[in-house]
DNA sequence: CATGCGACCGTAAACGTTTCCGGTACTCGC
DNA sequence: GCGAGTACCGGAAACGTTTACGGTCGCATG
């Protein structure tokens, strides 16, 4: 089903048909209606390659998924809900979301270069941003619209939405402090991930605000997956003056931490208080229930879609400084009795 | 960077350049080398729309992700590992994987129709197949290559790879039986999902093989997510003659089941034996450790990529009858002492 | 030497769409 | 009645690539 076939069937020129279907000027309202109906009954769908070739627009937004980092920082259930929000947000703009994986051993830059010159998408969503992320400068240089899920240190400002790690850390430390904890262990993401420094800085600031002395030995830096949560918890618990509370800034790290604690004969929530990052399925099965933070992932996806639509409209020249926001996360109190005492703070 | 620009820079015609880059006949080996080098140094990447428009090939395989069903059938960190395998498998064929989401409220058929007529991908991967899945006949009618992750009841044969639920159920029941269990509860997926009937049939057959009487009251049919695992376990445990063992054919169902059991004062692995479907992070945090099954997701992804490449080469006329295989899952014995007795069987 | 053949390369036609540019017919204001 | 303006439509070029086709040249074969 061609546009040419459709046009000749209607006795019109292909130009008029195209204008009618694309809501452009210079076409009679009645003819437009006729065209739209015929297209619908004949089942005409414009060929995307032809469109893109001519107009330069693909009508899609690419989501760059880098498995190693993404699955370390976020979990898979994180993205499923997020994507749902992004897709519904984009649908309103007539756009579609396409999720792409880097090839094995392919670094982020060559991945982007390949897909950008190929013309896979009109705009991009980046996740798992690094502290120094060359992808951002690359896209900026080429004036390609994009929004990052996560911050990064760059010369020029760019559009991003990131989880409000500042608030998470501050709330968690305040909870611990209110429950009387003075030695609080921290498991932070590896230094290459953008939020690592933020987490550590806020950790120090929150300790200071609570009048607790800072001890660098209580910080564990590295991956934040399940296995690392286990080894990190073990290491911190083997310290001579071990912590009485643990803050784990990884999705699945608490699962490993619970295991490590029990292996050492310590019962989570009883002998030691634990707070995790996010309320995901992996943590939901933990007993006693983990204290952690929740967020509306679908709403976050919608916000990302809105931001990307805005940068797309601005076409590179957009003012992105207002497109930088921290996404709130709400605390959810679990069954750890040490933390429980502080519930009032959030009542 | 055009192919035209590249050609004129080399003093060749665009035809020759195209042939050189696409490994076609009628081009001198030396010139070909020269072209490839120039393309690399000048950073030329062919425009995909132009290619597709002319050749009709996109060089991509589409993965249709239907969130509601997928997240019910498979557990959460299922796809990430799978996709990694698919992408590496496709890379060998010069193909790329694109993952697409259905729009909100859009059913599978309109989704496919939209993307097929649009020409989004050369071949498709379907997941979460239903017992009666109209997507399959749709693709068959149009001779579009595809492979399904999951079986379905269709008139014509089609290419699929599915988890070996037969073996899972048989192994689980054998484990229970060897440990002396006579009343074994089953939590099966909803009837619309393709594996529901398979699971139930195998359950009956395995009981028969073990000389255990079948009791329909011990089967619970419905969703298999965490909440349903909870309610199903509670229901089964409230029976007058309640089961001593539970087989849960859902990814996250065991998490809810553990919760329900404890709420009834029953300790998993002590008062009741539990076996789950897959070794996912959500189940990995359970104490005592859950007995369940594992599989190599990346290898499964590779197999899917291979199958889709084969159907793509056959171009619809391919013999798909040999492209139907059940993917093996290996049992992993957890800390449930009732089941523990049967370890020898797998040593 | 004529012929045929293979290797190599250039030419040009498609693929399906958007969009600029003209052209017609009609309306409106004077 | 005439010019200007407007509404609507058709023609055709362009987007970047692949690929069928023809043409030239060199070489071997008879």
């Amino acid at each position: 089903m061609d546009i040419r076939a459709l046009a000749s069937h209607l006795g019109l020129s292909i130009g008029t048909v195209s204008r009618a279907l694309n809501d452009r000027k210079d076409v009679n309202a009645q003819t437009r209606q006729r065209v739209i109906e015929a297209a619908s009954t004949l089942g005409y769908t414009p060929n995307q390659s032809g469109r893109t070739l001519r107009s330069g627009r693909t009508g899609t937004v690419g989501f760059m998924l880098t498995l190693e980092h993404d699955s370390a920082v976020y979990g898979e259930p994180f993205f499923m809900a997020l994507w749902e929000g992004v897709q519904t947000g984009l649908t309103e703009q007539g756009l579609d979301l396409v999720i792409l994986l880097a090839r094995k051993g392919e670094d982020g830059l060559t991945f982007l270069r390949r897909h950008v010159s190929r013309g896979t998408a009109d705009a991009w969503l980046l996740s798992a941003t690094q502290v120094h992320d060359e992808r951002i400068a690359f896209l900026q240089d080429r004036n390609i619209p994009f929004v990052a899920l996560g911050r990064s240190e760059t010369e020029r400002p760019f559009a991003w939405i990131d989880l409000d790690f500042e608030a998470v850390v501050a709330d968690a430390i305040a909870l611990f402090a209110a429950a009387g904890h003075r030695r609080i262990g921290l498991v932070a993401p590896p230094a290459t991930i953008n939020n690592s420094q933020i987490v550590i800085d806020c950790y120090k600031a929150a300790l200071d605000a609570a009048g607790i002395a800072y001890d660098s030995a209580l910080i564990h830096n590295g991956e934040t997956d399940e296995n690392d949560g286990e080894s990190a918890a073990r290491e911190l618990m083997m310290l001579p003056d071990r912590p009485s509370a643990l803050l784990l800034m990884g999705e699945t790290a608490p699962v490993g931490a619970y295991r490590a604690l029990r292996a050492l004969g310590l019962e989570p929530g009883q002998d030691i208080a634990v707070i995790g990052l996010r309320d995901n399925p992996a943590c939901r099965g933990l007993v006693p229930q983990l204290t952690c933070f929740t967020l509306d992932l679908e709403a976050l996806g919608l916000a990302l879609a809105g931001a990307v639509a805005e940068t797309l409209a601005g076409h590179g020249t957009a003012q992105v400084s207002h497109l930088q926001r921290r996404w709130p996360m709400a605390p959810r109190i679990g069954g750890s009795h040490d933390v429980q005492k502080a519930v009032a703070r959030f009542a």
Side-chain angles (χ1 to χ4, degrees), chain A residues 71-72 187 220 222-235 248 251-260:
Chain A
S71 49
V187 179
H220 185 280
E223 296 297 324
T224 48
D225 63 359
E226 188 183 330
N227 289 331
D228 189 66
E230 185 167 5
S231 60
R234 185 168 41 234
E235 274 182 37
L248 301 141
E251 290 261 339
T252 50
V255 177
Y258 267 47
R259 207 160 46 219

Side-chain angles (χ1 to χ4, degrees), chain A residues 308-341:
Chain A
V308 83
E310 202 165 334
T311 63
L312 203 46
H315 209 68
T317 62
Q319 201 66 21
V320 293
S321 50
H322 74 286
L323 290 176
Q324 304 180 335
R325 58 193 285 205
R326 301 206 306 254
W327 194 263
M329 298 183 73
R332 190 186 65 100
I333 306 300
S336 166
H337 78 281
D338 286 297
V339 173
Q340 198 80 301
K341 295 177 191 162

